Amino acid sequence: MSTPRKAPTMADVARLAGVSPMTVSRAFKRDSSVSDATRSAILEAADNLGYVFDSTASNLRSQRTDFVAVTIPSINNANFADTVRGLSDGLKERGLQILLGYTDYDIQEEERLVEQLLRRRPEAIVVTGGRHTPRTRRLLENAGIPVIETWDLPDDPVGHVVGFSNAAAVRTMVDHFVSAKITRIAFIGGDADRDTRGTDRRAGFIAAMQAHGLDADRLIAAGTPPISMREGADAMGRLLDTLPDTQAVICVSDLSAFGALTECQRRGIDVPGQMAVAGFGDYEIAGICVPSLTTIDPQPREIGKRAADLILEVLDGRQSDPATIALEPILMRRLSSP
């Protein structure tokens, strides 16, 4: 096993480029006093040496950390991954990086993460959802940095908001089915105590069914979020066994909807002829499964992009008052519904 090499220093770069260490430091900080030619020579020298600029001391002097803290419920969810990608793309041109933590749909874990992240003094913090423990809310309210709540439209936001109404999105799906003369509709969802967005979707389903004067009691619990394809299939099996006259099912996510779809296929139930199936999220699988899945596109990447734009506006002093940016989810009508 070879002995690790000593990391190159700023002095090594300066010696190779024929400049002073101070000029190297200024070049990496994009100081306008360094000419383009000199900066290019310094960067080439650094690249040849494998040198990485240590911004710690500079950041301490300027009181900048150059990162944005982000919490998401799951690192396996394609929607949240797209939101993080939109954030990252929007921030990277300003040299801002993301420090990511995941809560596993647990608001107590969110509290722990928020405290740890705030200790590192981020430039801003982005959290998923608008429901927090009282202590998390106090931490966010007193953080002294931009706070962005996403994927929700909370009644009492902490600061800025970029999101949508989960309840209204599901009402759109109910309206779609009712317009096709489908009235016996069920909802498959997860543990209401852990997934607040799922809870809002369930509430939107109930409210929409009641508004149409329809039975809103076909509610099937599928387990602890995030709901898997297997759990969706199991929930669909219970629905078919207990309420076989159901005409359509709205699932809390595309993964659970795919599981429901495969359970119908196992039982020889025609989709959408005998049973219409809809999901939420517009995952890649929704467009390639057979039949393709009717779903809701919540525009996850746009949420991240708009959150990044808002952060930059606040940091630049162009936005001071709390802002709420409400996006409109898109109904994606495909072959699993009429």
Side-chain angles (χ1 to χ4, degrees):
M1 182 175 179
S2 61
T3 303
R5 295 181 181 179
K6 181 181 178 181
T9 66
M10 186 178 293
D12 296 329
V13 176
R15 193 177 304 110
L16 183 60
V19 298
S20 70
M22 181 60 71
T23 302
V24 173
S25 177
R26 288 173 177 165
F28 275 98
K29 290 186 287 187
R30 308 297 296 178
D31 192 312
S32 60
S33 66
V34 180
S35 69
D36 290 342
T38 300
R39 179 174 289 107
S40 295
I42 290 170
L43 295 179
E44 182 178 357
D47 187 53
N48 289 337
L49 291 171
Y51 171 76
V52 177
F53 179 63
D54 182 359
S55 62
T56 304
S58 175
N59 287 341
L60 285 173
R61 288 192 296 271
S62 66
Q63 295 187 325
R64 288 182 57 87
T65 55
D66 291 334
F67 79 87
V68 171
V70 180
T71 67
I72 58 174
S74 170
I75 57 176
N76 298 323
N77 184 303
N79 279 172
F80 296 133
D82 282 345
T83 294
V84 173
R85 181 177 298 176
L87 263 168
S88 180
D89 288 346
L91 296 173
K92 65 183 179 183
E93 290 187 4
R94 290 284 294 272
L96 293 171
Q97 303 298 318
I98 286 175
L99 183 60
L100 185 66
Y102 83 100
T103 66
D104 195 26
Y105 295 89
D106 184 343
I107 61 174
Q108 298 297 331
E109 177 64 8
E110 181 195 52
E111 179 183 308
R112 187 187 71 82
L113 282 172
V114 166
E115 181 177 19
Q116 286 192 343
L117 291 167
L118 290 179
R119 285 177 180 174
R120 299 174 181 272
R121 298 292 183 260
E123 305 293 333
I125 185 167
V126 178
V127 295
T128 303
R131 179 190 170 201
H132 318 286
T133 67
R135 183 167 182 268
T136 299
R137 186 176 180 89
R138 288 196 301 273
L139 290 170
L140 294 173
E141 288 175 337
N142 293 289
I145 58 174
V147 176
I148 318 289
E149 292 170 293
T150 61
W151 275 85
D152 203 352
L153 293 179
D155 294 331
D156 185 21
V158 174
H160 306 281
V161 174
V162 180
F164 62 94
S165 170
N166 284 272
V170 172
R171 286 198 295 269
T172 299
M173 187 66 77
V174 171
D175 293 343
H176 164 61
F177 282 138
V178 173
S179 69
K181 310 301 182 184
I182 294 174
T183 57
R184 296 189 297 277
I185 310 169
F187 181 85
I188 290 177
D191 184 345
D193 291 332
R194 287 178 62 90
D195 183 7
T196 58
R197 287 158 301 285
T199 301
D200 287 345
R201 292 167 200 171
R202 182 179 183 272
F205 169 79
I206 293 171
M209 293 294 285
Q210 291 175 341
H212 285 289
L214 301 174
D215 174 18
D217 294 333
R218 297 171 187 255
L219 305 171
I220 307 296
T224 302
I227 306 303
S228 67
M229 289 181 272
R230 165 53 61 191
E231 289 167 323
D234 290 344
M236 189 68 194
R238 282 184 277 118
L239 173 64
L240 293 170
D241 290 340
T242 57
L243 296 164
D245 64 334
T246 300
Q247 298 171 291
V249 60
I250 298 172
C251 299
V252 72
S253 69
D254 283 351
L255 294 184
S256 55
F258 179 76
L261 178 65
T262 57
E263 182 64 20
C264 288
Q265 292 172 338
R266 272 193 290 271
R267 297 190 181 209
I269 295 172
D270 178 62
V271 176
Q274 295 171 272
M275 176 72 70
V277 179
F280 196 106
D282 198 24
Y283 292 15
E284 183 180 18
I285 196 172
I288 63 174
C289 63
V290 180
S292 55
L293 191 62
T294 292
T295 187
I296 296 287
D297 176 6
Q299 303 190 71
R301 192 162 185 171
E302 184 67 12
I303 291 173
K305 179 180 180 299
R306 298 292 288 275
D309 291 344
L310 186 53
I311 289 169
L312 296 180
E313 289 176 5
V314 175
L315 294 179
D316 290 345
R318 292 178 284 128
Q319 176 70 47
S320 56
D321 296 330
T324 295
I325 299 173
L327 303 180
E328 290 292 334
I330 302 167
L331 173 64
M332 307 296 291
R333 297 178 60 176
R334 296 197 178 103
L335 298 180
S336 67
S337 71

